[in-house]
Amino acid sequence: MHDTTVLPTGSCSLQVNCPVCVKSVEFPFKNMVPIQFTDQKQEFNKRTSNTGHRSLPHSISQSSTDSYGSVCSDSSEDGSSPRDKPRRTSKGLSDFCIKNIKQAEFGRREIIIAQQEMPALMILRKGAGGEKPLAGAQVVGCTHITAQTAVLIETLSVLGAQCRWAACNIFSTQNAVAAALAEGGTPVFAWRGESEDDFWWCIDRCVGAETWQPNMIMDDGGDLTHWIHKKHPSLFKNIKGIVEESVTGIYRLYQMSKAGRLCVPAINVNDSVTKQKFDNLYCCKESILDGLKRTTDIMFGGKQVVVCGYGEVGKGCCAALKALGAVVYVTEVDPICALQACMDGFRVNKLSEVARQVDMVVTCTGNKSVVRREHLDRMKDGCILCNMGHSSTEIDLVSLRTAELRWERMRPQVDHVIWPDGKRIVLLAEGRLLNLSCSTVPSFVLSITATTQALALIELYSAPEGRYKQDVYLLPKKMDEYVASLHLPTFDAHLSEVTDEQAKYLGISKHGPFKPNDYR
């Protein structure tokens, strides 16, 4: 059984003013309890570096590399890889690889727009920038490269860190934002529409610099951690910790820890309340509709949809689809989540039993092979298939890349997979994350997650030697509550205060935390 002993901890030195209670708040990073492992055997899903299986060559559609949102690529760009092309910023820097450095000015405007909706990171810059709590930190990151994550990256830089960054998804990079980051001095290796080979090349360029070695990792999906462990294991001697935000990456860290292969401490941001209850729920609730509308122009009223998984992502997707008049079914393996779906008014059924009748299938389980060939064969002509989970493994794409099936690119991120009898399945973003591949996401809700990531990074970096073992830790609820409090002024929200008598009655501090550490 996994050891859940509470470690003796100190307190983080970072101190700023809380905008809600107008008091000086010192973050106590105490009692960060390692999570117990379950007995579920989750396979360590590896990306293949073999590009031969891609049915559509990278160059077949120039428009396939264009962004859908306001942060779009220049339509004049070709679809070739920029790896071997000369590149240089206006200041003469060449340690980066992006699509087009000329888009930097436009990308900078997008970052400025995102900053207006990310108040907590701006507060961190003002409140802790003078202290430089990340001075000396050399952070290598692998996340989506969007205007919102650019605000996070540049916040880390303001706090004293040196950063190098790659993308965790081949379709989600906003090229103009990547250009703005590079022009601003951050080595970025990413562009929209990377091949699988490009993907791993970019990560390797991030971590394999001859004159630079990371001492912190910020990951989204576990690919960066996996690559360092596989190709550059000696780097772990200098790395102080890992901050991971996705369910896929957390599974991988658990497996590594259980096998005794986790070399450094890691903080699990994915299971923080501020990630689960906000990013996973509200972000997906709004962005799934945006992604589907932009790619398919579908009307949702009266459509039959099955959502695979009723975690926080599934709850958000179901609520959004139901609100626009769709008839929503849910598939679940967890009886608790299934019961929640039933009491929220959704029919819970097996995918095999509803696949023939539904107009749309949405996956959001974090697992693999949720939609298999047996289900795909049953789907009706025109059924839309998309994924809202981090990894494309939820859909068995290998079974679709066979000789009898024909793929036809209809528009950017929209493929028709055609059966011999003429039936077509509409596959979005080649099974990758729909909202970040095909649309944009709300900056405000990402501010909540990004602030949690930044604070987790500060804690791991500033922690004295021995505070954390080679294990996976959760942030304490005090930190979740602090992150939430930074965002309340946006809504002109005013918190009530607990009296001394009430605090004594509940057995809590007047200033929190108000939930136990095991609350999710």
Side-chain angles (χ1 to χ4, degrees):
M1 182 65 68
H2 186 57
D3 182 13
T4 58
T5 304
V6 177
L7 299 177
T9 62
S11 297
C12 176
S13 60
L14 182 60
Q15 190 175 47
V16 301
N17 288 327
C18 173
V20 177
C21 60
V22 198
K23 296 177 181 177
S24 180
V25 180
E26 186 171 351
F27 312 147
F29 286 89
K30 297 181 179 179
N31 303 329
M32 296 184 69
V33 185
I35 301 179
Q36 285 186 320
F37 293 122
T38 65
D39 291 330
Q40 294 177 341
K41 298 180 179 179
Q42 298 288 346
E43 182 180 344
F44 185 4
N45 302 323
K46 300 179 181 178
R47 294 179 186 263
T48 175
S49 60
N50 177 12
T51 60
H53 72 278
R54 289 174 63 84
S55 62
L56 293 170
H58 179 65
S59 61
I60 72 158
S61 174
Q62 175 272 322
S63 59
S64 69
T65 63
D66 289 345
S67 171
Y68 275 83
S70 57
V71 195
C72 61
S73 300
D74 189 324
S75 60
S76 65
E77 291 178 358
D78 59 34
S80 61
S81 170
R83 283 165 54 170
D84 300 322
K85 296 181 179 180
R87 50 192 177 269
R88 196 168 297 275
T89 68
S90 62
K91 298 177 182 178
L93 301 176
S94 60
D95 186 20
F96 66 94
C97 189
I98 61 168
K99 181 65 82 171
N100 186 355
I101 193 64
K102 295 179 181 179
Q103 293 182 321
E105 183 180 352
F106 181 62
R108 177 55 54 190
R109 292 199 296 269
E110 293 294 333
I111 295 172
I112 292 172
I113 291 172
Q115 288 176 352
Q116 309 308 308
E117 280 282 287
M118 305 186 79
L121 289 178
M122 297 299 102
I123 291 173
L124 285 186
R125 292 187 188 187
K126 294 177 181 178
E131 299 180 17
K132 303 292 183 185
L134 291 176
Q138 296 184 206
V139 184
V140 60
C142 183
T143 66
H144 301 283
I145 296 182
T146 63
Q148 296 78 24
T149 53
V151 177
L152 169 61
I153 294 167
E154 294 187 337
T155 298
L156 299 180
S157 298
V158 170
L159 299 181
Q162 296 179 21
C163 300
R164 294 175 70 85
W165 230 261
C168 69
N169 185 297
I170 65 175
F171 291 136
S172 65
T173 297
Q174 294 172 347
N175 286 336
V177 170
L181 284 170
E183 181 64 33
T186 300
V188 175
F189 301 86
W191 58 92
R192 190 177 183 87
E194 297 169 359
S195 68
E196 293 288 339
D197 183 62
D198 291 333
F199 175 85
W200 293 113
W201 179 88
C202 288
I203 289 179
D204 196 61
R205 285 297 303 271
C206 256
V207 302
E210 296 179 359
T211 59
W212 191 91
Q213 287 193 342
N215 54 25
M216 294 297 300
I217 296 173
M218 183 172 286
D219 211 353
D220 184 352
D223 289 316
L224 173 59
T225 302
H226 163 64
W227 189 257
I228 294 177
H229 189 271
K230 179 180 178 181
K231 297 292 185 179
H232 305 279
S234 62
L235 292 180
F236 278 110
K237 295 178 182 179
N238 299 318
I239 291 174
K240 300 189 69 173
I242 302 167
V243 175
E244 171 60 58
E245 75 152 312
S246 77
V247 63
T248 305
I250 292 303
Y251 283 150
R252 292 177 169 186
L253 289 175
Y254 287 168
Q255 290 155 10
M256 291 176 70
S257 181
K258 193 172 184 179
R261 294 186 293 111
L262 184 59
C263 306
V264 296
I267 288 184
N268 171 5
V269 170
N270 179 72
D271 289 313
S272 297
V273 174
T274 45
K275 174 68 161 59
Q276 288 284 327
K277 297 292 185 183
F278 296 95
D279 191 338
N280 290 14
L281 177 63
Y282 296 109
C283 178
C284 296
K285 184 177 181 180
E286 295 197 14
S287 60
I288 184 175
L289 302 178
D290 190 15
L292 287 169
K293 283 287 190 182
R294 295 196 195 200
T295 50
T296 66
D297 304 310
I298 189 174
M299 180 174 179
F300 295 100
K303 294 294 192 302
Q304 297 191 61
V305 184
V306 58
V307 176
C308 302
Y310 202 68
E312 298 303 324
V313 174
K315 288 179 175 67
C317 293
C318 287
L321 293 164
K322 181 180 180 181
L324 289 189
V327 179
V328 182
Y329 300 89
V330 170
T331 72
E332 252 300 343
V333 297
D334 184 337
I336 296 175
C337 292
L339 182 58
Q340 286 181 304
C342 291
M343 297 185 71
D344 285 338
F346 301 109
R347 293 293 302 273
V348 177
N349 216 325
K350 295 180 178 180
L351 180 58
S352 58
E353 297 178 4
V354 297
R356 294 184 187 279
Q357 67 194 65
V358 295
D359 302 290
M360 188 185 311
V361 178
V362 181
T363 60
C364 44
T365 68
N367 209 331
K368 65 173 296 187
S369 301
V370 176
V371 178
R372 301 181 293 277
R373 181 62 185 267
E374 63 199 71
H375 305 123
L376 295 162
D377 286 336
R378 294 184 182 185
M379 292 178 189
K380 67 182 184 181
D381 183 39
C383 183
I384 298 170
L385 178 60
C386 65
N387 171 45
M388 283 291 288
H390 176 83
S391 175
S392 60
T393 56
E394 300 209 26
I395 301 170
D396 183 12
L397 296 176
V398 175
S399 70
L400 293 179
R401 303 188 187 279
T402 56
E404 77 274 14
L405 300 182
R406 181 166 58 90
W407 286 55
E408 184 176 344
R409 174 61 53 89
M410 304 305 295
R411 55 165 58 164
Q413 311 294 9
V414 181
D415 292 303
H416 283 190
V417 184
I418 306 171
W419 265 247
D421 63 357
K423 182 186 84 170
R424 294 172 178 245
I425 297 296
V426 182
L427 178 64
L428 305 183
E430 295 187 26
R432 297 182 185 273
L433 187 58
L434 172 71
N435 54 0
L436 281 160
S437 297
C438 301
S439 64
T440 58
V441 291
S443 297
F444 184 83
V445 75
L446 290 188
S447 173
I448 301 171
T449 299
T451 304
T452 306
Q453 289 174 285
L455 295 176
L457 196 74
I458 291 170
E459 168 57 16
L460 278 180
Y461 180 69
S462 61
E465 186 175 354
R467 177 181 293 182
Y468 301 116
K469 300 177 182 178
Q470 296 170 351
D471 216 329
V472 184
Y473 294 86
L474 276 175
L475 285 168
K477 289 301 169 291
K478 184 69 173 178
M479 183 56 57
D480 279 319
E481 292 174 3
Y482 174 75
V483 172
S485 72
L486 292 178
H487 292 84
L488 289 176
T490 301
F491 303 100
D492 194 25
H494 302 274
L495 288 175
S496 302
E497 294 185 5
V498 177
T499 66
D500 292 335
E501 182 181 4
Q502 290 171 328
K504 183 177 180 181
Y505 178 77
L506 294 175
I508 61 173
S509 166
K510 287 181 62 175
H511 307 294
F514 300 99
K515 296 288 190 297
N517 271 334
D518 58 359
Y519 170 78
R520 286 184 59 192

